[in-house]
Amino acid sequence: MKKNTRRSAVVVCAAASALGLAAGPSSAVPSTVWTVTPSPSSFQAANVGNIVLTATIPMTCTTSNAAGVMNSATGNPGDVADITTMNFGATGSPCTSVLGNVTTTSVTPWDVVAVDYTASTGVTKGYVGNVKANVTAGACKFTVAGKASATYTNSTGVLAVNSVAGELAVSNPVNCGAIVTTATKPTFKGNYAVKQAGTGIIPTIVGSNP
């Protein structure tokens, strides 16, 4: 009887430990308060390296910039910035593709949305939302809309956009043949260095759950 009792106790303890381990990750509480410093703050952003929109073929921009306003926010997801200006290419430095030069007209505002924050690295994970742009590559014209996964790193001020297939969609393709169709799943990738307009200060985003 004593052996059975001891054996039962061991089984119960093992089961409790297993449940505790299984419950551990799910007990993490996502951030619901997003503190942007300084806030509110007008910002400017410029590309670091090439910006690439791939819709079957890559369309590469060596110049891209953005501007808007950053704000503290509450909730998850949290809207921490509104992008009111989004430019791709510049006079003398157009975006290019195998179809010819690329003109991209952004339909703003776009949003920077925070979802998860890691205090040890100062990195916020989220996405750029409400993305919409009209693209012309040679004779091919189409619209891209949706969202793009992104991270923001406080130490560098870099917003790294790295979308995955399925986040963005194509509509209204004209003169694109089989290259760009409504079945195409575009991706948008590139890094932007963000600074407060007029001061050059790198803004920070901190997520918490008081």
Side-chain angles (χ1 to χ4, degrees):
M1 181 65 109
K2 289 182 178 179
K3 287 183 179 179
N4 288 339
T5 301
R6 284 197 297 270
R7 191 175 293 116
S8 298
V10 170
V11 170
V12 170
C13 289
S17 297
L19 287 172
L21 289 172
S26 64
S27 65
V29 179
S31 299
T32 56
V33 175
W34 302 95
T35 303
V36 176
T37 304
S39 175
S41 175
S42 297
F43 73 87
Q44 296 175 330
N47 64 301
V48 180
N50 291 341
I51 305 299
V52 181
L53 171 67
T54 301
T56 306
I57 59 169
M59 288 163 270
T60 303
C61 302
T62 58
T63 301
S64 182
N65 58 74
V69 178
M70 299 183 73
N71 278 294
S72 296
T74 301
N76 192 304
D79 185 347
V80 294
D82 294 325
I83 300 173
T84 55
T85 302
M86 190 77 207
N87 297 317
F88 297 93
T91 302
S93 182
C95 302
T96 58
S97 75
V98 295
L99 297 178
N101 287 350
V102 179
T103 301
T104 301
T105 303
S106 302
V107 181
T108 55
W110 296 6
D111 305 315
V112 178
V113 180
V115 175
D116 186 48
Y117 176 72
T118 302
S120 60
T121 59
V123 174
T124 297
K125 292 181 181 179
Y127 58 88
V128 179
N130 201 37
V131 172
K132 186 175 182 181
N134 298 314
V135 182
T136 300
C140 173
K141 300 180 181 181
F142 58 96
T143 298
V144 173
K147 69 176 184 177
S149 293
T151 61
Y152 182 78
T153 302
N154 288 335
S155 60
T156 61
V158 170
L159 176 69
V161 183
N162 188 20
S163 73
V164 298
E167 292 183 330
L168 295 168
V170 167
S171 63
N172 305 316
V174 177
N175 298 324
C176 300
I179 296 176
V180 181
T181 71
T182 54
T184 302
K185 299 183 184 299
T187 58
F188 171 30
K189 300 179 186 294
N191 296 338
Y192 290 87
V194 180
K195 294 182 179 180
Q196 184 184 33
T199 68
I201 293 172
I202 294 175
T204 60
I205 303 171
V206 174
S208 62
N209 191 5

